[in-house]
Amino acid sequence: MTTTPAPLPEPAALTAVDLLRTSLENFGRRDQQIARYFIDHAEEVPFLSAGEIAETLEVSGAAITRFAQRVGFEGYPHLQRVIRQDLRATLGMKQPGGQDSVVARFWASERANLDTLQDIPEARLLAFARAIAAAKQVWVVGARSSYGISLVAETILASFRPWVRAYSTDLLLSRPEQLLEITSDDVVVVFTLRRYSRATTRMVRAMHAQGVQVLLITDQGASPLGKIAHQCLQLPTQGTDVLASLAPFISVSTLLASLVAKELEGGHLKQAEALNAEFGVYEY
Protein backbone atom coordinates (compact mmCIF):
# COMPACT_ATOMS: atom_id res chain seq x y z
CA MET A 1 0.00 0.00 0.00
CA THR A 2 1.37 3.37 -0.93
CA THR A 3 0.49 6.69 0.58
CA THR A 4 0.43 10.01 -1.13
CA PRO A 5 2.57 12.57 0.69
CA ALA A 6 0.73 15.55 2.03
CA PRO A 7 1.14 18.58 -0.22
CA LEU A 8 3.61 21.19 0.93
CA PRO A 9 2.01 24.40 2.11
CA GLU A 10 2.12 27.18 -0.43
CA PRO A 11 4.57 29.94 0.45
CA ALA A 12 3.06 33.16 1.68
CA ALA A 13 2.57 35.69 -1.08
CA LEU A 14 5.29 38.30 -1.30
CA THR A 15 4.37 41.90 -0.63
CA ALA A 16 5.17 44.58 -3.21
CA VAL A 17 8.10 45.72 -1.07
CA ASP A 18 9.39 42.13 -0.81
CA LEU A 19 9.27 41.85 -4.60
CA LEU A 20 11.26 45.06 -4.98
CA ARG A 21 13.78 43.90 -2.40
CA THR A 22 14.37 40.53 -4.06
CA SER A 23 14.78 42.15 -7.50
CA LEU A 24 16.99 45.03 -6.36
CA GLU A 25 20.26 43.67 -7.74
CA ASN A 26 18.73 43.28 -11.22
CA PHE A 27 17.75 46.95 -11.50
CA GLY A 28 19.74 49.69 -13.16
CA ARG A 29 21.20 52.52 -11.10
CA ARG A 30 18.16 54.83 -11.28
CA ASP A 31 15.67 52.03 -10.72
CA GLN A 32 17.69 50.89 -7.69
CA GLN A 33 17.44 54.42 -6.29
CA ILE A 34 13.66 54.47 -6.76
CA ALA A 35 13.22 50.91 -5.44
CA ARG A 36 15.23 51.69 -2.29
CA TYR A 37 12.98 54.67 -1.63
CA PHE A 38 9.87 52.46 -1.81
CA ILE A 39 11.52 49.86 0.44
CA ASP A 40 12.72 52.37 3.05
CA HIS A 41 9.59 54.56 3.04
CA ALA A 42 6.81 52.01 2.46
CA GLU A 43 4.65 53.41 5.28
CA GLU A 44 4.79 56.90 3.74
CA VAL A 45 4.03 55.85 0.14
CA PRO A 46 0.20 55.65 0.59
CA PHE A 47 0.22 59.37 1.41
CA LEU A 48 2.64 60.60 -1.29
CA SER A 49 2.02 61.51 -4.89
CA ALA A 50 4.38 60.40 -7.65
CA GLY A 51 5.44 64.04 -7.97
CA GLU A 52 6.42 64.28 -4.30
CA ILE A 53 8.57 61.14 -4.55
CA ALA A 54 10.10 62.39 -7.80
CA GLU A 55 10.98 65.72 -6.17
CA THR A 56 12.66 63.97 -3.24
CA LEU A 57 14.71 61.74 -5.56
CA GLU A 58 15.37 64.55 -8.07
CA VAL A 59 13.91 62.57 -10.97
CA SER A 60 10.90 63.21 -13.19
CA GLY A 61 7.39 62.11 -12.33
CA ALA A 62 7.44 60.06 -15.52
CA ALA A 63 10.43 58.12 -14.15
CA ILE A 64 8.32 56.99 -11.19
CA THR A 65 5.51 55.92 -13.50
CA ARG A 66 7.83 54.02 -15.84
CA PHE A 67 9.51 52.30 -12.87
CA ALA A 68 6.12 51.08 -11.56
CA GLN A 69 5.29 49.71 -15.00
CA ARG A 70 8.65 47.99 -15.40
CA VAL A 71 8.17 46.09 -12.15
CA GLY A 72 4.75 44.80 -13.22
CA PHE A 73 2.19 47.41 -12.18
CA GLU A 74 -0.14 49.50 -14.33
CA GLY A 75 1.43 52.66 -13.01
CA TYR A 76 2.28 54.44 -9.77
CA PRO A 77 -1.33 54.54 -8.45
CA HIS A 78 -1.54 50.75 -8.84
CA LEU A 79 1.77 50.21 -7.00
CA GLN A 80 0.69 52.67 -4.30
CA ARG A 81 -2.63 50.85 -3.87
CA VAL A 82 -0.94 47.46 -3.51
CA ILE A 83 1.52 48.81 -0.92
CA ARG A 84 -1.41 50.29 1.01
CA GLN A 85 -3.19 46.91 0.97
CA ASP A 86 -0.01 45.15 2.11
CA LEU A 87 0.34 47.56 5.02
CA ARG A 88 -3.27 47.04 6.04
CA ALA A 89 -2.69 43.30 6.10
CA THR A 90 0.52 43.50 8.14
CA LEU A 91 -0.54 46.28 10.52
CA GLY A 92 -4.01 44.97 11.22
CA MET A 93 -4.98 43.30 14.45
CA LYS A 94 -3.13 40.02 14.86
CA GLN A 95 -4.59 36.77 16.08
CA PRO A 96 -3.43 35.85 19.57
CA GLY A 97 -0.68 33.27 19.83
CA GLY A 98 0.16 30.92 22.67
CA GLN A 99 -0.93 31.98 26.13
CA ASP A 100 1.98 30.58 28.12
CA SER A 101 4.02 33.77 28.34
CA VAL A 102 1.56 36.53 27.44
CA VAL A 103 1.69 38.07 30.91
CA ALA A 104 5.49 38.05 31.09
CA ARG A 105 5.84 39.48 27.58
CA PHE A 106 3.29 42.16 28.35
CA TRP A 107 5.09 43.51 31.41
CA ALA A 108 8.47 43.26 29.70
CA SER A 109 7.22 45.35 26.77
CA GLU A 110 5.60 47.92 29.07
CA ARG A 111 8.88 48.36 30.96
CA ALA A 112 10.72 48.75 27.65
CA ASN A 113 8.23 51.40 26.54
CA LEU A 114 8.66 53.40 29.75
CA ASP A 115 12.44 53.21 29.45
CA THR A 116 12.21 54.59 25.92
CA LEU A 117 9.92 57.44 27.03
CA GLN A 118 12.69 58.71 29.28
CA ASP A 119 14.72 59.48 26.17
CA ILE A 120 12.31 62.21 25.03
CA PRO A 121 14.14 65.53 25.57
CA GLU A 122 12.68 67.60 28.38
CA ALA A 123 12.81 70.71 26.19
CA ARG A 124 10.48 69.07 23.66
CA LEU A 125 7.96 68.17 26.36
CA LEU A 126 8.11 71.68 27.79
CA ALA A 127 7.49 73.19 24.36
CA PHE A 128 4.41 70.97 24.01
CA ALA A 129 3.11 71.98 27.43
CA ARG A 130 3.69 75.69 26.83
CA ALA A 131 1.80 75.57 23.55
CA ILE A 132 -1.14 73.91 25.33
CA ALA A 133 -1.01 76.38 28.21
CA ALA A 134 -0.93 79.43 25.93
CA ALA A 135 -3.74 78.36 23.57
CA LYS A 136 -7.16 79.98 23.56
CA GLN A 137 -8.84 76.60 23.04
CA VAL A 138 -7.41 73.09 23.08
CA TRP A 139 -8.96 70.60 20.69
CA VAL A 140 -7.99 67.01 21.54
CA VAL A 141 -8.81 64.66 18.68
CA GLY A 142 -8.51 61.03 17.66
CA ALA A 143 -10.48 58.20 16.09
CA ARG A 144 -11.39 54.75 17.37
CA SER A 145 -8.91 53.71 20.11
CA SER A 146 -7.13 57.06 19.73
CA TYR A 147 -10.39 58.83 20.62
CA GLY A 148 -10.39 56.93 23.92
CA ILE A 149 -6.95 58.39 24.63
CA SER A 150 -8.28 61.82 23.69
CA LEU A 151 -11.04 61.53 26.29
CA VAL A 152 -8.51 60.64 29.00
CA ALA A 153 -6.26 63.54 27.96
CA GLU A 154 -9.24 65.93 28.03
CA THR A 155 -10.18 64.82 31.54
CA ILE A 156 -6.65 65.36 32.84
CA LEU A 157 -5.97 68.67 31.07
CA ALA A 158 -9.37 70.18 31.87
CA SER A 159 -8.45 70.14 35.56
CA PHE A 160 -5.72 72.69 34.92
CA ARG A 161 -6.99 74.99 32.17
CA PRO A 162 -10.33 76.00 30.59
CA TRP A 163 -11.58 75.30 27.07
CA VAL A 164 -10.28 71.78 26.58
CA ARG A 165 -12.55 69.55 24.48
CA ALA A 166 -12.11 66.03 23.10
CA TYR A 167 -13.60 65.22 19.71
CA SER A 168 -13.94 62.09 17.64
CA THR A 169 -12.62 62.92 14.18
CA ASP A 170 -15.21 60.54 12.73
CA LEU A 171 -17.97 62.71 14.21
CA LEU A 172 -16.20 65.97 13.33
CA LEU A 173 -16.04 64.83 9.73
CA SER A 174 -19.84 64.44 9.73
CA ARG A 175 -20.27 67.92 11.25
CA PRO A 176 -17.62 70.07 9.55
CA GLU A 177 -19.41 73.28 10.61
CA GLN A 178 -17.64 72.89 13.96
CA LEU A 179 -14.49 74.01 12.18
CA LEU A 180 -16.02 77.50 12.21
CA GLU A 181 -15.23 77.64 15.93
CA ILE A 182 -11.48 77.27 15.35
CA THR A 183 -9.16 80.28 15.59
CA SER A 184 -5.46 80.67 14.87
CA ASP A 185 -4.94 81.07 18.64
CA ASP A 186 -6.03 77.44 19.22
CA VAL A 187 -4.05 74.22 19.28
CA VAL A 188 -5.15 70.75 18.29
CA VAL A 189 -3.59 67.84 20.16
CA VAL A 190 -3.80 64.87 17.80
CA PHE A 191 -3.54 61.24 18.88
CA THR A 192 -3.03 58.79 16.03
CA LEU A 193 -1.37 55.42 15.63
CA ARG A 194 -1.29 52.72 13.02
CA ARG A 195 -3.50 51.98 11.28
CA TYR A 196 -3.82 55.75 10.74
CA SER A 197 -7.42 56.95 10.52
CA ARG A 198 -8.38 58.63 7.27
CA ALA A 199 -10.90 60.80 9.18
CA THR A 200 -8.16 62.08 11.50
CA THR A 201 -5.85 62.89 8.59
CA ARG A 202 -8.52 64.75 6.66
CA MET A 203 -9.90 66.69 9.62
CA VAL A 204 -6.54 67.76 11.03
CA ARG A 205 -5.40 68.94 7.60
CA ALA A 206 -8.54 71.09 7.47
CA MET A 207 -7.75 72.50 10.91
CA HIS A 208 -4.18 73.21 9.86
CA ALA A 209 -5.47 75.10 6.82
CA GLN A 210 -7.34 77.40 9.21
CA GLY A 211 -4.14 78.27 11.06
CA VAL A 212 -4.48 76.12 14.15
CA GLN A 213 -1.23 74.84 15.69
CA VAL A 214 -0.96 71.05 15.33
CA LEU A 215 0.60 69.09 18.21
CA LEU A 216 0.96 65.47 17.09
CA ILE A 217 1.36 62.53 19.49
CA THR A 218 1.84 59.36 17.48
CA ASP A 219 3.67 56.06 17.27
CA GLN A 220 7.06 55.42 15.71
CA GLY A 221 5.66 54.84 12.23
CA ALA A 222 5.26 57.39 9.45
CA SER A 223 2.10 59.31 10.30
CA PRO A 224 0.67 61.18 7.29
CA LEU A 225 0.31 64.22 9.59
CA GLY A 226 4.03 64.36 10.37
CA LYS A 227 4.71 66.90 7.63
CA ILE A 228 2.19 69.48 8.85
CA ALA A 229 2.63 69.08 12.61
CA HIS A 230 4.22 72.05 14.34
CA GLN A 231 5.45 69.73 17.08
CA CYS A 232 5.55 65.93 17.21
CA LEU A 233 6.13 63.31 19.89
CA GLN A 234 6.71 59.76 18.64
CA LEU A 235 6.03 57.19 21.35
CA PRO A 236 6.94 53.50 21.57
CA THR A 237 3.96 51.16 21.27
CA GLN A 238 5.55 47.75 21.75
CA GLY A 239 2.77 45.53 23.06
CA THR A 240 1.46 41.98 23.09
CA ASP A 241 0.93 39.75 20.07
CA VAL A 242 -2.56 41.18 19.68
CA LEU A 243 -2.53 44.89 20.54
CA ALA A 244 -0.18 47.84 20.56
CA SER A 245 0.43 49.40 23.96
CA LEU A 246 -1.56 52.55 24.77
CA ALA A 247 0.14 53.09 28.13
CA PRO A 248 2.82 55.47 26.75
CA PHE A 249 0.09 57.81 25.48
CA ILE A 250 -1.57 57.94 28.91
CA SER A 251 1.78 58.47 30.65
CA VAL A 252 2.80 61.30 28.35
CA SER A 253 -0.66 62.92 28.62
CA THR A 254 -0.34 62.89 32.41
CA LEU A 255 3.16 64.35 32.26
CA LEU A 256 2.07 67.10 29.85
CA ALA A 257 -0.84 67.97 32.15
CA SER A 258 1.59 68.29 35.08
CA LEU A 259 3.79 70.60 33.03
CA VAL A 260 0.76 72.66 31.96
CA ALA A 261 -0.30 72.96 35.60
CA LYS A 262 3.14 74.27 36.49
CA GLU A 263 3.02 76.80 33.63
CA LEU A 264 -0.40 78.07 34.75
CA GLU A 265 0.44 77.96 38.49
CA GLY A 266 -2.73 76.01 39.34
CA GLY A 267 -5.25 78.87 39.35
CA HIS A 268 -7.87 77.02 37.31
CA LEU A 269 -7.46 73.89 39.44
CA LYS A 270 -8.22 75.85 42.64
CA GLN A 271 -11.40 77.27 41.12
CA ALA A 272 -12.47 73.85 39.82
CA GLU A 273 -11.92 72.22 43.20
CA ALA A 274 -13.97 74.94 44.89
CA LEU A 275 -16.86 74.21 42.50
CA ASN A 276 -16.52 70.46 43.09
CA ALA A 277 -16.84 71.08 46.83
CA GLU A 278 -19.79 73.44 46.38
CA PHE A 279 -21.73 70.93 44.30
CA GLY A 280 -20.72 67.91 46.40
CA VAL A 281 -19.22 66.07 43.44
CA TYR A 282 -17.16 63.66 45.55
CA GLU A 283 -18.10 61.53 48.54
CA TYR A 284 -15.02 62.68 50.43
Side-chain angles (χ1 to χ4, degrees):
M1 177 179 177
T2 60
T3 59
T4 303
L8 294 173
E10 294 184 6
L14 292 177
T15 66
V17 169
D18 289 336
L19 289 171
L20 294 178
R21 187 179 287 112
T22 56
S23 304
L24 195 58
E25 294 182 357
N26 300 323
F27 293 149
R29 183 181 61 81
R30 175 172 290 182
D31 280 356
Q32 280 192 358
Q33 178 191 19
I34 297 173
R36 285 196 179 97
Y37 185 89
F38 281 102
I39 293 168
D40 295 339
H41 300 85
E43 292 183 2
E44 300 174 44
V45 167
F47 314 106
L48 298 174
S49 67
E52 288 173 316
I53 296 174
E55 183 179 354
T56 299
L57 297 178
E58 298 182 345
V59 300
S60 69
I64 303 298
T65 299
R66 289 194 297 268
F67 169 79
Q69 292 170 338
R70 279 195 293 274
V71 296
F73 298 90
E74 297 173 5
Y76 173 70
H78 183 202
L79 173 56
Q80 182 187 44
R81 186 167 64 251
V82 171
I83 290 177
R84 181 185 291 116
Q85 291 169 348
D86 290 341
L87 287 171
R88 284 176 177 169
T90 57
L91 296 175
M93 187 173 292
K94 301 174 184 177
Q95 294 300 315
Q99 302 298 312
D100 54 332
S101 59
V102 168
V103 173
R105 289 201 311 272
F106 176 84
W107 291 120
S109 64
E110 290 298 273
R111 285 192 294 271
N113 288 335
L114 290 174
D115 287 343
T116 303
L117 287 180
Q118 295 181 75
D119 295 332
I120 300 175
E122 184 175 340
R124 188 178 301 172
L125 292 164
L126 286 171
F128 245 76
R130 286 166 181 160
I132 293 170
K136 181 179 179 180
Q137 299 182 93
V138 179
W139 300 62
V140 190
V141 304
R144 301 174 68 86
S145 60
S146 296
Y147 175 52
I149 303 171
S150 300
L151 288 170
V152 173
E154 175 203 45
T155 301
I156 300 171
L157 284 170
S159 297
F160 303 110
R161 58 145 298 147
W163 299 109
V164 180
R165 297 290 184 273
Y167 298 87
S168 162
T169 50
D170 293 306
L171 293 178
L172 275 176
L173 202 59
S174 68
R175 296 186 59 197
E177 68 273 12
Q178 292 187 68
L179 291 176
L180 298 174
E181 301 174 21
I182 288 181
T183 75
S184 58
D185 296 324
D186 298 347
V187 301
V188 54
V189 179
V190 187
F191 290 98
T192 183
L193 64 160
R194 294 173 292 183
R195 298 166 285 177
Y196 305 115
S197 162
R198 183 172 296 172
T200 299
T201 300
R202 185 175 179 185
M203 185 52 60
V204 173
R205 282 177 173 165
M207 291 177 163
H208 177 263
Q210 291 191 219
V212 70
Q213 186 177 174
V214 177
L215 307 180
L216 177 63
I217 304 179
T218 186
D219 59 14
Q220 294 177 320
S223 169
L225 296 172
K227 289 187 175 181
I228 67 169
H230 296 83
Q231 299 186 48
C232 178
L233 294 176
Q234 289 186 288
L235 310 184
T237 56
Q238 179 181 338
T240 65
D241 292 339
V242 184
L243 294 170
S245 173
L246 301 182
F249 292 88
I250 305 302
S251 294
V252 166
S253 297
T254 305
L255 175 55
L256 288 173
S258 299
L259 295 173
V260 168
K262 185 174 182 181
E263 286 290 316
L264 297 177
E265 298 181 350
H268 181 73
L269 177 61
K270 293 175 184 177
Q271 296 171 354
E273 286 297 290
L275 286 171
N276 288 332
E278 179 181 344
F279 284 88
V281 173
Y282 301 113
E283 290 286 352
Y284 54 85

